[in-house]
């Protein structure tokens, strides 16, 4: 009986941790640190526009939108990996938001 209780508690703890600390998918976590130039070589204007729209629609519900120009590409590379799961974006949309932010980031 005691074992069952411990098991029950352990599973609740795991569920709680998964729910409260969402993790980016493997694809997102594996993305390399990219510079503006690397991003601009991979995404066209259309995709960057879509990324901007996704950013506006999904990134302002918990805090004010933090404009792309407020962070360096290096910072966005890190921050976005944390925020994509918070915004519940799928990998494809998440990568577009990331591309938009890095492409418009402030210079180092
Ligand atoms: C579910 C709520 C939520 C959503 C949605 C969300 N954020 Fe955040 N964001 C937070 C919280 C909480 C913090 C402060 C704690 C932290 O840094 O993890 C934060 C912090 C930040 C910061 C400051 C980080 C730093 O280290 O200075 C930036 C920039 C940011 N978010 C950008 C974004 C972007 C871009 C998106 C959309 C992809 C987004 N956020 C969506 C909750 C959210």
């Amino acid at each position: 009986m005691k074992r069952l209780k411990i098991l029950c508690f352990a599973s609740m703890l795991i569920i709680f941790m998964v729910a409260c600390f969402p993790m980016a998918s493997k694809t997102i976590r594996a993305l390399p640190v990219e510079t503006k130039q690397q991003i601009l070589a991979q995404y066209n204007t259309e995709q960057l526009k879509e990324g901007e729209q996704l950013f506006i629609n999904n990134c302002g519900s918990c805090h004010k939108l933090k404009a792309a120009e407020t962070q360096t590409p290096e910072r966005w590379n890190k921050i976005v990996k944390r925020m994509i799961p918070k915004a519940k974006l799928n990998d494809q949309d998440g990568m577009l938001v990331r591309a938009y932010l890095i492409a418009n980031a402030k210079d180092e």
Side-chain angles (χ1 to χ4, degrees), residues 55 58-63 66 71 75-76 79-80 82-84 86-87 89 97 101:
F55 166 70
N58 297 285
C59 298
S61 51
C62 301
H63 45 66
K66 319 231 179 208
Q71 315 285 332
R75 295 264 304 142
W76 278 127
I79 297 167
V80 158
R82 277 205 332 264
M83 295 298 146
I84 286 173
K86 279 199 201 290
L89 291 169
V97 172
L101 290 169

Side-chain angles (χ1 to χ4, degrees), residues 33-85:
V33 174
E34 288 179 294
T35 62
K36 243 184 225 198
Q37 286 70 29
Q38 286 170 317
I39 290 292
L40 292 173
Q42 296 170 66
Y43 296 88
N44 61 34
T45 324
E46 196 107 311
Q47 289 171 307
L48 295 177
K49 271 238 174 79
E50 205 183 326
E52 178 179 19
Q53 213 50 55
L54 287 162
F55 166 70
I56 293 169
N57 294 338
N58 297 285
C59 298
S61 51
C62 301
H63 45 66
K64 280 195 201 146
L65 283 180
K66 319 231 179 208
E69 306 81 57
T70 61
Q71 315 285 332
T72 61
E74 200 176 29
R75 295 264 304 142
W76 278 127
N77 271 293
K78 282 201 199 113
I79 297 167
V80 158
K81 286 185 187 180
R82 277 205 332 264
M83 295 298 146
I84 286 173

